[in-house]
Amino acid sequence: MDASEWTRVDCPYCGESIELQVDVGSGAYRTVEDCAVCCRPIEVAVDVGVDGAETVTIARGDE
């Protein structure tokens, strides 16, 4: 069973819309992914609410 989903975000550096694959079966976690357009590091945070809904937030990796 695949516990991953694709989510679309805007790169905090170049502003391009990119797709990131997130593992929704692992609970809350943090990772760093490179933008597929400008190759800069994006900090990705996946949080899980009490209702089980996942929230994905991103930030610049240099802040």
Side-chain angles (χ1 to χ4, degrees), residues 20-22 29-34 41-46 57 59:
L20 297 176
Q21 190 171 18
V22 295
Y29 68 94
R30 308 286 186 267
T31 189
V32 176
E33 300 285 337
D34 289 337
I42 302 169
E43 292 182 2
V44 181
V46 178
T57 55

Side-chain angles (χ1 to χ4, degrees), residues 9-35:
V9 297
D10 292 335
C11 174
Y13 294 98
C14 67
E16 291 291 326
S17 181
I18 59 172
E19 283 191 325
L20 297 176
Q21 190 171 18
V22 295
D23 185 357
V24 296
S26 293
Y29 68 94
R30 308 286 186 267
T31 189
V32 176
E33 300 285 337
D34 289 337
C35 173

Side-chain angles (χ1 to χ4, degrees), residues 50-63:
V50 293
D51 61 354
E54 292 86 16
T55 302
V56 178
T57 55
I58 60 167
R60 292 173 62 124
D62 63 358
E63 293 181 338

